Amino acid sequence: MQRLDLRQLLSQKLSPQQIQFIKLLQIPTAELEMRIKEELEINPALEEGREEPAEEYSESDEYEEEYGKDDDIDLNDYLNDDEVSGYKMQGDRGGDDEDKEMPIAMTSTLTDSLLDQLGFLDLDDKQYNIGMQLIGSIDHDGYIRRDLRSIANDLAFSQNIETTEEEIEQVLHLIQTFDPAGIAARDLPECLLLQLERREQDATTILAERIIRQAFDEFTKKHYQKIQSKFNVSEEELKRAIDAITRLNPKPGGAGASLTRVQYIIPDFILTNNNGQLELSLNSRNAPDLRISRSYADMFDAYDKSDKKDKKLKETVTFVKQKLDAAKWFIDAIRQRQNTLLRTMEAIIKYQHDFFLEGDESELRPMILKDIAEEIGMDISTVSRVANSKAVQTEFGIYPLKYFFSEGIATDSGEDASSREVKHILKEIIDNENKRKPLSDEKIEKLLNEKGYNIARRTVAKYREQLNIPVARLRKEL
């Protein structure tokens, strides 16, 4: 038998305004302009421009009796609030000649470049189609990792072209002569050999080719004594050959081969040092002036003078009220975003004041999200949204906000040192080590302990890996 129960629950739910604020808070300045343009398109009550002098509007008693107090539209709520109708983000420089466009450098793709070079070859239709298939099979780093049999099957099924692996390899060798050198290689040794073949064939180049062909495994493991004995060469000859190999490009495709454009970082904050006084402002080039549309106020004035018994008129007034509410909420969210960003960044500057004065990494203090959240009286999730994808421009460069958050390492003096400071010292130790006898993690641990940093060997290994520094054996040089 069906049973009905009455239960009382207490739950928390985010209002639409809070959700809107959260979404605006986590996007960087570079994306804010696009978000504002979207809002301007869907809400006719919101418009760009500086505030115009507001006129006084009033509701008549007859209007109030017709629609009721709950449906009253007090234009003063929308048009006479200086904080809303003419809101402008702090730090905006203004001016007609302000550049509001993101600087974008347009470049051609690697695929386009290879196809252009393919067009200069004297190929028949079948060879040209094979060449296009091979170019389309090149990965983002410049390699062809699919075997030739699979490429032959692709040509047969997709383009009805019957071919052999030998024919495909002939076209592949032609593509491997294209720029950049080493392109379309099937593995790393072939990539390096393709680059060496374009160099002057002197004794150093010939020895480098022999090392790759006959002792590549020993080379990758840096077993230089075995290589020296195998080829019966002097240490100086081997050093020149190793230097020639290490200067080659292992990824001829490059990290940006699949990109069609490059976007420069636009900092969200600008920090200047004015004679020891740090001054913070928001970079708001992508945040135009926002205001409530004056034409909607004129519409209300017309409604007030018209016949208020018309039901269609009431529906129109309701629609306009919803758009005005949405515009007001959006401007409030932008203003709240500005205040939250500034409060969070000011707290970060307070914590890392010495670093922002000199730019010395050793001056960075341990700082976690909880520290800033307690300082500004907000939730950790709010601070996390501010720190995510945001950057600050200083006199020492542009830094992501995440750069300033780090854990603490105990020292002999009883104070905590930033993990970033420890990484900086670790990197200095490795940079100054004898490359013929690189330091092991255990020796680095002892050196750090001597400097007063209580750190374990496994932590040294973790920091070294985070800095993309290989183990001691792979750092060894002749």
Side-chain angles (χ1 to χ4, degrees):
M1 182 176 178
Q2 193 176 27
R3 180 179 176 181
L4 298 177
D5 291 330
L6 182 63
R7 297 180 181 179
Q8 188 174 12
L9 299 175
L10 181 63
S11 62
Q12 290 183 333
K13 292 184 179 180
L14 292 176
S15 66
Q17 295 88 345
Q18 290 173 317
I19 295 174
Q20 185 179 60
F21 166 67
I22 290 173
K23 290 182 178 180
L24 286 174
L25 183 63
Q26 61 191 10
I27 63 174
T29 301
E31 298 178 15
L32 185 61
E33 181 185 25
M34 185 180 300
R35 177 66 186 88
I36 291 175
K37 286 182 178 179
E38 291 176 358
E39 192 69 21
L40 288 169
E41 290 177 359
I42 64 176
N43 191 348
L46 184 69
E47 62 182 25
E48 281 186 85
R50 297 187 179 276
E51 180 184 9
E52 297 177 358
E55 299 178 4
E56 295 294 333
Y57 293 88
S58 61
E59 305 282 350
S60 65
D61 294 337
E62 178 185 357
Y63 185 88
E64 198 169 314
E65 293 174 0
E66 175 70 20
Y67 295 110
K69 291 186 178 181
D70 291 338
D71 291 332
D72 282 352
I73 300 177
D74 186 1
L75 296 181
N76 293 329
D77 291 341
Y78 302 101
L79 302 177
N80 296 333
D81 188 349
D82 293 336
E83 292 183 348
V84 175
S85 59
Y87 173 72
K88 187 176 188 298
M89 290 192 72
Q90 183 172 337
D92 195 344
R93 293 175 178 79
D96 296 334
D97 42 336
E98 179 185 4
D99 183 14
K100 294 188 178 182
E101 297 295 328
M102 291 179 60
I104 297 177
M106 303 303 295
T107 60
S108 61
T109 64
L110 174 65
T111 302
D112 292 338
S113 175
L114 295 176
L115 289 175
D116 289 341
Q117 296 177 70
L118 182 68
F120 287 106
L121 298 180
D122 187 15
L123 304 176
D124 55 34
D125 291 342
K126 181 178 181 180
Q127 290 175 321
Y128 185 80
N129 289 327
I130 293 174
M132 291 184 64
Q133 187 71 28
L134 286 170
I135 291 174
S137 301
I138 295 177
D139 291 341
H140 67 281
D141 53 1
Y143 288 84
I144 290 183
R145 292 185 170 87
R146 301 198 67 202
D147 59 85
L148 299 185
R149 179 177 297 179
S150 299
I151 294 177
N153 292 335
D154 291 343
L155 287 166
F157 286 110
S158 62
Q159 302 186 42
N160 197 25
I161 297 177
E162 296 291 338
T163 184
T164 63
E165 294 182 35
E166 290 74 16
E167 290 177 319
I168 295 177
E169 190 160 9
Q170 289 177 0
V171 180
L172 175 61
H173 290 322
L174 295 175
I175 294 176
Q176 288 176 344
T177 63
F178 292 173
D179 290 326
I183 198 69
R186 286 162 285 189
D187 52 35
L188 179 58
E190 184 178 28
C191 176
L192 300 177
L193 288 171
L194 288 172
Q195 297 177 59
L196 288 172
E197 289 173 358
R198 302 195 187 190
R199 298 186 55 172
E200 181 182 354
Q201 295 300 302
D202 53 16
T204 299
T205 304
I206 294 173
L207 177 58
E209 291 178 354
R210 292 181 62 193
I211 291 173
I212 294 175
R213 294 181 190 276
Q214 304 173 31
F216 188 73
D217 188 55
E218 290 87 346
F219 166 74
T220 56
K221 296 178 179 178
K222 295 199 172 184
H223 293 163
Y224 297 136
Q225 291 183 348
K226 291 183 179 180
I227 298 175
Q228 186 176 356
S229 301
K230 185 173 184 177
F231 296 109
N232 192 23
V233 294
S234 66
E235 184 176 327
E236 185 61 30
E237 290 174 327
L238 179 60
K239 186 177 184 303
R240 288 197 296 267
I242 296 299
D243 287 342
I245 296 174
T246 54
R247 291 178 182 176
L248 300 176
N249 185 6
K251 295 183 179 181
S258 61
L259 300 178
T260 57
R261 69 179 187 177
V262 177
Q263 289 191 350
Y264 297 95
I265 296 177
I266 295 182
D268 302 86
F269 305 92
I270 299 176
L271 184 65
T272 56
N273 187 344
N274 187 8
N275 296 324
Q277 185 71 27
L278 296 176
E279 298 178 356
L280 175 68
S281 62
L282 278 175
N283 182 357
S284 52
R285 292 185 303 163
N286 297 321
D289 298 327
L290 297 176
R291 66 181 182 184
I292 302 299
S293 173
R294 179 62 60 186
S295 61
Y296 270 56
D298 296 337
M299 291 171 60
F300 269 111
D301 188 39
Y303 296 153
D304 191 43
K305 298 177 182 178
S306 63
D307 182 9
K308 301 179 179 59
K309 296 181 180 181
D310 189 353
K311 292 183 178 180
K312 292 184 179 181
L313 179 62
K314 181 176 180 179
E315 294 176 358
T316 303
V317 171
T318 302
F319 170 79
V320 173
K321 181 179 184 298
Q322 291 174 348
K323 292 302 180 182
L324 287 172
D325 283 337
K328 184 175 184 294
W329 290 340
F330 185 78
I331 296 176
D332 283 341
I334 292 289
R335 184 180 67 239
Q336 190 176 355
R337 176 186 187 273
Q338 175 200 21
N339 294 334
T340 304
L341 290 178
L342 284 174
R343 288 180 61 189
T344 304
M345 191 63 215
E346 286 170 354
I348 294 175
I349 295 173
K350 181 179 178 181
Y351 256 84
Q352 308 292 359
H353 185 267
D354 293 340
F355 169 81
F356 288 115
L357 284 178
E358 303 294 338
D360 186 358
E361 286 188 352
S362 62
E363 297 293 341
L364 283 171
R365 295 174 54 195
M367 184 180 70
I368 58 177
L369 294 174
K370 183 179 179 181
D371 296 330
I372 302 301
E374 292 177 350
E375 178 71 22
I376 64 177
M378 293 185 178
D379 192 79
I380 294 178
S381 61
T382 302
V383 179
S384 177
R385 289 186 176 94
V386 173
N388 185 39
S389 302
K390 306 293 193 305
V392 57
Q393 177 180 311
T394 69
E395 296 180 355
F396 321 108
I398 298 178
Y399 294 89
L401 295 195
K402 288 184 177 180
Y403 177 84
F404 306 109
F405 292 90
S406 61
E407 299 175 350
I409 302 294
T411 63
D412 291 343
S413 61
E415 299 178 353
D416 283 343
S418 168
S419 59
R420 193 170 299 280
E421 175 186 345
V422 178
K423 290 179 185 179
H424 179 69
I425 296 175
L426 186 150
K427 188 175 185 302
E428 286 185 346
I429 291 174
I430 295 177
D431 289 342
N432 297 325
E433 70 183 357
N434 184 357
K435 297 304 180 183
R436 290 177 176 268
K437 296 180 180 179
L439 300 171
S440 63
D441 291 344
E442 291 81 3
K443 293 181 179 179
I444 296 175
E445 174 196 356
K446 292 179 181 179
L447 290 174
L448 287 172
N449 290 337
E450 290 174 0
K451 292 178 178 291
Y453 299 100
N454 300 325
I455 186 171
R457 186 204 60 80
R458 63 179 178 273
T459 308
V460 172
K462 182 180 74 172
Y463 288 170
R464 177 179 51 74
E465 291 172 357
Q466 290 176 353
L467 293 170
N468 294 321
I469 298 176
V471 296
R473 177 173 55 80
L474 297 180
R475 299 200 305 270
K476 185 177 180 181
E477 297 179 1
L478 291 174

